[in-house]
């Protein structure tokens, strides 16, 4: 029996019922299928794909076309989780028509159920208009990687009184504007707790402590897949990068020494048929 699909409404109910929300990024069919089968509540097709899949230093080069392409692969795999896709850098800062077109492509072509965008009060009007157009929006405040050049690096946010107050106000403004949930990235745990208590929509933390209504991690980070440096807030639940590299080394070794393939990996043919392939005197 398939579990009931997660919706924006069911996430709000989870907060009201005190049930923690689980969110994980995924960028392709097999990773999304595994996360969905495991029972994750929300799959985020994050623009972090620029860094963990495409090899960029930041999320800034990621395009709407990239997001649609990866979202299509993810949504083909998912039966249960709510699929949310990031609006990438500058895709919601032009005219309203451009923003609507970009968000519309992610929903219509990608088949995502909601979009996520970064920023506080400065994106509130955009959140309002997208929500009014029928596109659910997840907010994202604190460390907002699309503004890394403005923030001066990937660092903890909200550490001064003014900055902490601004984040609390932003959270309330985004709730008021219509966000159904809010990612809190890299802010002190007690501040995330306070924000979580002050708004009714769920908060999903990453580097924001245990008192958020849910947690999100990047697929490749939590599995130790392909990265070199991991932020302090990452817990690695596996080391699949080591497992994969070891398997490839063994494969190379076995091919070089003719230990692979063996008979069990090969197809046979009737010996008479083979010897009778060429007639007497015929060139081989
Ligand atoms: O792009 C992403 O993966 C994200 C999460 C880290 C929240 O925005």
């Amino acid at each position: 029996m398939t579990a009931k699909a997660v919706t924006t409404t069911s996430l709000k109910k989870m907060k009201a019922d005190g049930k923690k929300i689980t969110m994980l990024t995924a960028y392709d069919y097999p990773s999304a299928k595994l996360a969905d089968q495991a029972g994750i509540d929300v799959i985020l097709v994050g623009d972090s794909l620029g860094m963990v899949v495409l090899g960029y230093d930041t999320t800034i080069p990621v395009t709407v076309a990239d997001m649609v392409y990866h979202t299509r692969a993810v949504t083909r795999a998912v039966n249960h989780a709510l699929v949310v896709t990031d609006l990438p850098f500058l895709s919601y800062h032009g005219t309203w028509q451009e923003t609507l077109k970009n968000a519309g492509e992610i929903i219509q072509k990608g088949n995502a159920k909601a979009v996520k965008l970064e920023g506080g009060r400065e994106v509130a009007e955009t959140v309002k208009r997208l929500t009014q157009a029928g596109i659910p929006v997840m907010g994202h405040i604190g460390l907002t990687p699309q503004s890394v050049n403005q923030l001066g690096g990937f660092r903890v946010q909200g550490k001064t009184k003014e900055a902490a107050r601004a984040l609390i106000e932003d959270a309330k403004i985004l709730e008021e504007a219509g966000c159904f949930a809010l990612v809190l990235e890299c802010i002190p745990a007690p501040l995330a707790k306070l924000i979580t208590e002050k708004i009714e929509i769920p908060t999903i933390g990453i580097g924001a402590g245990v008192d958020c209504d849910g947690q999100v991690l990047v697929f490749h980070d939590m599995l130790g897949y392909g990265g070199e440096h991991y932020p302090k807030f990452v817990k690695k639940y596996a080391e699949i990068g080591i497992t994969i590299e070891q398997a490839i080394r063994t494969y190379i070794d076995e091919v070089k020494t003719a230990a692979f393939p063996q008979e069990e990996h090969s197809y046979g043919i009737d010996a008479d048929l083979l010897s009778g392939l060429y007639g007497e005197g015929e060139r081989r």
Side-chain angles (χ1 to χ4, degrees):
M1 201 176 78
T2 343
K4 225 171 141 208
V6 179
T7 64
T8 56
T9 315
S10 57
L11 292 182
K12 287 186 198 160
K13 185 164 181 331
M14 284 174 80
K15 171 163 182 150
D17 294 347
K19 291 188 183 148
K20 292 279 190 190
I21 297 165
T22 57
M23 177 157 120
L24 185 63
T25 68
Y27 316 101
D28 60 15
Y29 184 89
S31 57
K33 197 173 169 67
L34 291 171
D36 196 50
Q37 277 171 195
I40 207 85
D41 297 312
V42 184
I43 291 182
L44 173 67
V45 187
D47 60 356
S48 52
L49 73 86
M51 298 170 81
V52 297
V53 176
L54 303 178
Y56 299 130
D57 286 341
T58 69
T59 58
I60 288 171
V62 177
T63 64
V64 172
D66 290 332
M67 297 313 297
V68 170
Y69 177 84
H70 286 273
T71 302
R72 283 167 70 92
V74 165
T75 52
R76 275 181 216 122
V78 172
N79 290 314
H80 163 77
L82 179 79
V83 178
V84 181
T85 292
D86 265 332
L87 278 170
F89 184 64
L90 290 191
S91 66
Y92 48 101
H93 296 92
T95 64
W96 164 240
Q97 278 70 25
E98 284 164 345
T99 299
L100 187 63
K101 179 175 174 291
N102 291 332
E105 282 197 13
I106 283 169
I107 302 292
Q108 286 188 305
K109 293 189 186 161
N111 210 15
K113 294 286 185 286
V115 297
K116 175 166 83 59
L117 50 75
E118 297 181 5
R121 63 203 75 188
E122 69 281 7
V123 295
E125 187 56 30
T126 307
V127 170
K128 204 174 199 169
R129 295 184 80 165
L130 285 171
T131 310
Q132 280 167 356
I135 300 178
V137 182
M138 178 180 276
H140 182 159
I141 59 172
L143 172 56
T144 45
Q146 290 173 13
S147 310
V148 63
N149 293 331
Q150 207 171 13
L151 299 175
F154 295 97
R155 44 175 73 121
V156 182
Q157 301 296 307
K159 287 177 79 174
T160 65
K161 200 171 182 178
E162 296 71 38
R165 190 176 291 135
L167 283 174
I168 296 170
E169 283 166 8
D170 280 344
K172 288 187 188 162
I173 291 169
L174 290 170
E175 173 176 41
E176 181 72 27
C179 281
F180 69 87
L182 191 55
V183 168
L184 304 179
E185 178 164 355
C186 249
I187 66 173
L191 175 59
K193 180 173 189 292
L194 195 60
I195 294 174
T196 301
E197 287 164 0
K198 283 193 179 293
I199 59 177
E200 278 173 30
I201 55 170
T203 58
I204 316 281
I206 175 161
V210 74
D211 292 308
C212 296
D213 298 306
Q215 298 292 325
V216 55
L217 281 177
V218 167
F219 187 90
H220 292 56
D221 289 351
M222 64 95 77
L223 293 174
Y225 181 23
E228 279 157 34
H229 309 291
Y230 295 89
K232 170 185 160 80
F233 59 73
V234 170
K235 177 170 177 183
K236 278 196 255 168
Y237 287 83
E239 285 284 5
I240 65 165
I242 294 174
T243 308
I244 290 173
E245 188 175 334
Q246 191 47 54
I248 296 170
R249 283 181 194 281
T250 307
Y251 166 67
I252 292 171
D253 190 51
E254 290 194 358
V255 170
K256 300 268 189 202
T257 58
F260 173 82
Q262 297 195 343
E263 210 174 321
E264 69 205 85
H265 310 114
S266 308
Y267 302 98
I269 188 172
D270 186 76
D272 289 346
L273 189 150
L274 208 55
S275 61
L277 265 185
Y278 299 96
E280 201 61 22
E282 214 178 325
R283 274 192 73 189
R284 295 191 172 218

